[in-house]
Amino acid sequence: MNEFLGTDIKFLKGVGEVRAGILNKELALFTFNDLLNYFPFRYVDRSKFYRISEIEQDSSYIQLKGKIRRVEEVGPQRSTRLVAYFSDGEREMELLWFKGVKWIKSQLKVGEEVVIFGKPSFFRGKLTMSHPELDTVANRKNSAPLEAVYHTTEMMKTRRVESKAIRQVMHHLIRHEHFNIPEIFSPEMCQKYKLIPRDKAFRFIHQPPSHKHIEAAQHRFKFEELFFLQLPFINQKVNRKRADKGITFKTQNPLFEDFIKNHLPFSLTGAQERVLREVKTDLCSGDQMNRLLQGDVGSGKTIVAFLCVLMAIDNGYQASLMAPTEILAIQHYIGLKELAEKIGIEIGILTGSSTTKERRMLHEKLQAGTIKLLVGTHALIEDVVQFENLGLTIIDEQHRFGVAQRAKLQAKGQINPHVLVMTATPIPRTLAMSVYGDLDYSVIDEMPAGRRAIKTAHRFGFAREKVWQFMKDEIAKGRQAYVVYPLIEESETLHYKDLNTGYDQLLEFFPRPAYQVEMLHGKMKPSDKEAKMQDFANGKTNILVSTTVIEVGINVPNASIMIIESAEKFGLSQLHQLRGRVGRGAEQSYCILLSSKKLSDNAKTRLQAMVGTTSGFELSEIDMQLRGFGDIAGTRQSGLDQLKLASLSTDAHIAEMAREAIVELLTDDPEYKNHESLKHFMKNKQGYKDWEKIA
Ligand code: ADP
Ligand code: MG
């Protein structure tokens, strides 16, 4: 950092030891650089003066010009408030202060023309403004029309270091005689991506001459944020491509062709075909494939995975498929075995509950190369099993696996096997590109033909019997249903519906032998889980009462009803996943969200969103608005919380630009020979401690 930017804020005019201490402690601002990077969160237009008569019920921050007519202290001694009667010559309103009464009173001069600024409100039918900002008309004459507003803390307010104070300090900083902010991007980049110079951008963001200037400054900083967010991921990808050579598959695939021609139970969607082409190109390229396949629930990722497995087998290699839960691994095993038998391929399964004997058998068969595909849970990584020649690893619902685990699994092959990670976690493309930026990206953005949109409804608990009656009618038509509970057992502290109680009630409403109601949850023995899943898949069970163990991946096309109890307990992505268990066949499917009557605003929004759309991508956008990026599965350590201005949902085009700039930089100038100042900047940037890994 240069000398100017590195200077301690206490040396700045208008700051000093005391204020510096407050800014250090409250906002973690220590240097000029920190201060400059403390951006306003909005701007107010101070060029316009309102009349009192123009004020409406919901007016936001406004500015008025007029005179103080009278000042008065009211209320008991210990909690006096100050009332000033303010008139704009036409009408009058009350200005109120509850804190700092003595000091404010000493500042107010009756009869002097002043400018007040604040948020008006109607209090007991009277128009008032609490704690307005106050200035003399003379003072305001040469101030900027657009004013930056900064966040401050409670403590800062009591110490009277408010937005206005920060604005003043910023003014001194920007007018500093040694003001010096070097450009970090090359002139070519600045021109190509329409980036205004860095020093100007800082000036405009804090003291904008116009809205246009704010936009230009924001564009510049959004670009910067998205540039530094994506750089490490893309860099990693480029490096890996350079270092890890892959297995080159040949283009002829007899098993694959045979299966497509003679055994495929349906025709592939255009999106599935496109993804297969993308994968094939990777496999034949000589580089190791590292591809993320994203597709909403029910879009048909499994068959794509299976066809990729066939390509590996065609080339004389084995493959593995890893699932996040035992139930899902078992289901994949059952389903894939059926497909594999059609073309005489042996597959195996390995989970945490495989016995020693089973493991020994597996091991032998894997080493001999008779098992071509091994399906399993993360036991696939932990276990000592070795393949004869692992050529392809597929990871289903990847957000539950970390990067480290991915690496461990890769290490199972003598050479680097190709890797395909699949996920239904509906994250917008830009986010996927950024967070999984080290992977190539494919998407299945088309549902198989003949699917009908799932009908979703929200009901309160007292309508439960009606809902059950509806379920009865659907079962009479041959359908099956899931009923999901958030808890296994009743809880003293959490007032949610529980599985055990619900199961008993359902048994009463759906008596045996007319109905078959079964229970499934994570604490059961694996063999029991498998049996319950099988019975449901085969249609023996009418209603599967379960916890969220069925959340991900389970595929029983005849199941057309999903009832979620205490739906307010679940997050949007979880609700979407659960709903995705139905709507997988040709029949009309239903999802019914039951909740208690008392709902938080947030819960209401979630349930309404579920009723309003079945698109995972739309839901993820809403989810992001509700929770921010930080909470989205698998994205916590991604650096998204560093974004101050940019938003991946609305600034996708800037993210794209930044990406392009990075690729260009890493391709044309990997040593940063013509980007000295960028290199220098990154060396000093926080969070870029591992500079060596980037350059
Ligand atoms: P997901 O992407 O959620 O993993 P699945 O692979 O489980 O989805 O597929 C959901 C259902 O759709 C399965 O029953 C599968 O057989 C079926 N399916 C997949 N592709 C097609 C297609 N092209 N046409 C018709 N049905 C399909
Ligand atoms: Mg799946």
Side-chain angles (χ1 to χ4, degrees):
M1 221 182 299
N2 71 19
E3 211 173 312
F4 170 74
L5 289 171
T7 313
D8 190 322
I9 52 171
K10 72 182 177 203
F11 299 116
L12 184 63
K13 193 175 162 199
V15 181
E17 292 280 356
V18 177
R19 278 192 172 181
I22 294 171
L23 292 172
N24 291 167
K25 196 158 157 264
E26 295 295 299
L27 302 177
L29 305 179
F30 297 92
T31 61
F32 284 7
N33 186 56
D34 295 339
L35 193 54
L36 274 171
N37 280 288
Y38 192 66
F39 290 171
F41 69 98
R42 62 185 178 86
Y43 300 88
V44 291
D45 189 346
R46 301 284 300 247
S47 61
K48 178 167 169 56
F49 290 96
Y50 279 78
R51 312 289 308 169
I52 295 178
S53 57
E54 289 175 307
I55 296 176
E56 285 170 17
Q57 281 287 354
D58 54 353
S59 288
S60 95
Y61 286 80
I62 56 164
Q63 175 174 254
L64 305 135
K65 207 186 315 191
K67 285 180 182 161
I68 307 279
R69 293 283 177 212
R70 189 158 51 92
V71 181
E72 165 181 300
E73 273 183 64
V74 290
Q77 261 225 322
R78 299 179 107 233
S79 59
T80 42
R81 76 202 132 87
L82 188 66
V83 187
Y85 297 88
F86 172 87
S87 155
D88 64 358
E90 209 179 72
R91 288 199 191 183
E92 211 174 70
M93 70 187 282
E94 290 181 11
L95 311 181
L96 299 175
W97 284 271
F98 305 96
K99 282 183 203 156
V101 167
K102 285 244 143 56
W103 186 79
I104 301 284
K105 200 177 172 192
S106 72
Q107 301 292 305
L108 294 177
K109 293 199 186 76
V110 173
E112 187 184 24
E113 182 150 59
V114 289
V115 174
I116 61 164
F117 175 78
K119 193 171 162 29
S121 59
F122 289 87
F123 182 64
R124 297 212 183 113
K126 263 194 270 179
L127 192 55
T128 63
M129 192 182 273
S130 302
H131 286 248
E133 251 180 51
L134 203 77
D135 235 328
T136 61
V137 173
N139 251 350
R140 292 247 18 118
K141 278 246 162 65
N142 37 17
S143 58
L146 281 170
E147 218 168 65
V149 185
Y150 298 89
H151 281 301
T152 54
T153 63
E154 269 309 305
M155 185 271 194
M156 289 170 74
K157 290 194 176 89
T158 62
R159 305 290 295 270
R160 264 188 235 109
V161 184
E162 299 195 50
S163 183
K164 187 174 168 184
I166 297 184
R167 211 155 51 226
Q168 279 162 354
V169 166
M170 220 55 98
H171 180 82
H172 294 308
L173 183 57
I174 283 166
R175 302 288 126 119
H176 197 283
E177 56 175 337
H178 299 302
F179 185 83
N180 172 19
I181 297 171
E183 180 51 67
I184 54 176
F185 294 132
S186 67
E188 293 76 26
M189 246 174 94
C190 288
Q191 200 191 8
K192 184 162 180 194
Y193 301 106
K194 303 206 164 42
L195 310 175
I196 60 169
R198 202 155 196 266
D199 56 351
K200 280 210 174 114
F202 275 115
R203 282 201 167 111
F204 294 163
I205 203 105
H206 294 292
Q207 297 192 333
S210 75
H211 285 288
K212 268 218 166 69
H213 291 85
I214 299 176
E215 268 164 43
Q218 284 180 340
H219 172 77
R220 155 91 208 196
F221 289 122
K222 283 176 180 180
F223 184 93
E224 268 190 27
E225 286 177 11
L226 293 166
F227 184 91
F228 292 115
L229 173 74
Q230 299 181 86
L231 181 61
F233 294 112
I234 299 175
N235 189 71
Q236 204 176 328
K237 177 156 127 189
V238 171
N239 280 348
R240 196 178 42 218
K241 283 219 162 126
R242 224 177 280 146
D244 301 350
K245 284 292 139 204
I247 314 161
T248 314
F249 283 13
K250 52 192 192 311
T251 37
Q252 290 305 311
N253 295 302
L255 267 179
F256 176 89
E257 306 291 347
D258 174 35
F259 189 88
I260 295 236
K261 225 178 174 173
N262 304 315
H263 305 289
L264 198 63
F266 37 69
S267 48
L268 296 172
T269 62
Q272 286 170 322
E273 279 176 353
R274 188 188 62 233
V275 171
L276 282 169
R277 276 198 302 275
E278 287 165 355
V279 169
K280 201 166 167 184
T281 308
D282 282 359
L283 297 179
C284 301
S285 72
D287 288 334
Q288 180 202 18
M289 173 170 79
N290 273 282
R291 188 167 281 279
L292 173 71
L293 170 55
Q294 198 183 358
D296 209 342
V297 283
S299 62
K301 294 185 289 295
T302 316
I303 192 73
V304 170
F306 182 70
L307 290 167
C308 294
V309 168
L310 293 186
M311 288 190 226
I313 300 172
D314 270 326
N315 280 275
Y317 290 95
Q318 292 163 302
S320 70
L321 173 71
M322 184 158 71
T325 64
E326 182 153 29
I327 291 180
L328 188 50
I330 291 167
Q331 179 197 257
H332 272 323
Y333 174 68
I334 296 169
L336 294 173
K337 199 163 110 183
E338 206 176 295
L339 297 177
E341 273 166 1
K342 293 183 183 178
I343 42 174
I345 288 168
E346 190 175 347
I347 80 173
I349 180 161
L350 175 69
T351 70
S353 45
S354 302
T355 62
T356 321
K357 200 173 136 216
E358 285 165 343
R359 276 164 210 253
R360 200 178 320 119
M361 283 258 294
L362 261 184
H363 199 77
E364 273 168 26
K365 285 184 161 181
L366 281 170
Q367 285 279 289
T370 47
I371 286 186
K372 297 295 184 197
L373 167 64
L374 182 63
V375 177
T377 57
H378 62 271
L380 276 186
I381 323 178
E382 310 306 335
D383 209 87
V384 291
V385 290
Q386 285 289 334
F387 292 79
E388 185 205 9
N389 57 355
L390 181 64
L392 170 69
T393 277
I394 299 172
I395 303 169
D396 196 16
E397 301 304 343
Q398 103 96 29
H399 65 273
R400 303 200 171 189
F401 292 98
V403 173
Q405 285 170 304
R406 221 154 75 199
K408 236 173 160 183
L409 190 63
Q410 283 197 34
K412 294 242 158 196
Q414 287 86 345
I415 358 147
N416 290 308
H418 296 294
V419 179
L420 181 68
V421 287
M422 308 199 293
T423 180
T425 305
I427 39 180
R429 185 185 164 85
T430 16
L431 178 57
M433 302 277 275
S434 307
V435 180
Y436 298 118
D438 57 328
L439 305 175
D440 291 307
Y441 179 77
S442 287
V443 62
I444 304 185
D445 49 8
E446 182 186 352
M447 285 289 171
R451 289 276 172 82
R452 294 203 233 170
I454 303 166
K455 291 190 176 157
T456 305
H458 170 218
R459 297 282 181 270
F460 294 118
F462 51 73
R464 185 169 291 108
E465 295 230 339
K466 257 192 172 162
V467 172
W468 285 352
Q469 186 53 50
F470 173 73
M471 190 153 69
K472 233 175 212 175
D473 299 342
E474 288 295 304
I475 289 171
K477 294 184 209 160
R479 307 285 100 77
Q480 290 166 277
Y482 296 97
V483 182
V484 174
Y485 289 85
L487 304 171
I488 298 181
E489 281 159 27
E490 200 174 348
S491 149
E492 290 273 319
T493 47
L494 298 166
H495 298 286
Y496 298 125
K497 295 287 159 201
D498 71 280
L499 183 69
N500 282 330
T501 316
Y503 179 64
D504 290 341
Q505 290 168 348
L506 281 160
L507 278 181
E508 245 171 72
F509 201 87
F510 296 88
R512 288 192 171 120
Y515 296 96
Q516 211 53 43
V517 182
E518 294 292 350
M519 186 154 78
L520 180 71
H521 59 77
K523 289 195 180 147
M524 287 164 42
K525 273 206 324 224
S527 53
D528 291 343
K529 285 189 218 171
E530 187 179 345
K532 300 278 179 192
M533 265 323 294
Q534 276 284 18
D535 285 348
F536 191 65
N538 296 337
K540 271 193 209 145
T541 304
N542 306 110
I543 303 173
L544 188 64
V545 187
S546 149
T547 55
T548 55
V549 288
I550 56 129
E551 180 187 343
V552 169
I554 297 299
N555 182 46
V556 180
N558 190 51
S560 65
I561 301 170
M562 166 61 67
I563 292 173
I564 305 174
E565 288 278 0
S566 296
E568 71 269 35
K569 154 86 172 57
F570 299 100
L572 261 185
S573 76
Q574 219 177 0
L575 287 172
H576 179 66
Q577 281 286 351
L578 284 169
R579 177 167 62 184
R581 297 313 110 217
V582 297
R584 305 188 142 241
E587 301 304 330
Q588 176 62 56
S589 290
Y590 302 89
C591 172
I592 299 162
L593 310 166
L594 285 167
S595 81
S596 72
K597 194 93 206 265
K598 244 175 73 186
L599 292 174
S600 69
D601 286 348
N602 196 303
K604 252 183 236 161
T605 310
R606 286 199 305 271
L607 298 180
Q608 276 164 8
M610 283 295 291
V611 174
T613 180
T614 51
S615 153
F617 289 90
E618 265 177 55
L619 289 172
S620 73
E621 294 278 354
I622 298 169
D623 201 27
M624 250 176 271
Q625 282 158 18
L626 288 176
R627 303 191 301 161
F629 284 113
D631 280 345
I632 290 181
T635 63
R636 204 159 271 143
Q637 271 113 35
S638 59
L640 285 169
D641 52 352
Q642 292 168 24
L643 297 182
K644 286 192 296 185
L645 290 176
S647 140
L648 284 176
S649 47
T650 52
D651 299 317
H653 61 293
I654 306 180
E656 204 78 38
M657 274 184 217
R659 211 179 157 72
E660 186 188 310
I662 294 166
V663 172
E664 221 162 83
L665 171 74
L666 296 178
T667 322
D668 297 349
D669 186 18
E671 312 273 306
Y672 292 71
K673 285 209 172 82
N674 300 316
H675 293 84
E676 269 300 323
S677 39
L678 178 60
K679 184 168 164 177
H680 184 75
F681 177 78
M682 286 194 288
K683 270 189 176 169
N684 290 305
K685 192 171 157 60
Q686 257 193 349
Y688 274 77
K689 293 261 157 26
D690 289 339
W691 156 255
E692 276 69 28
K693 289 191 202 136
I694 292 171

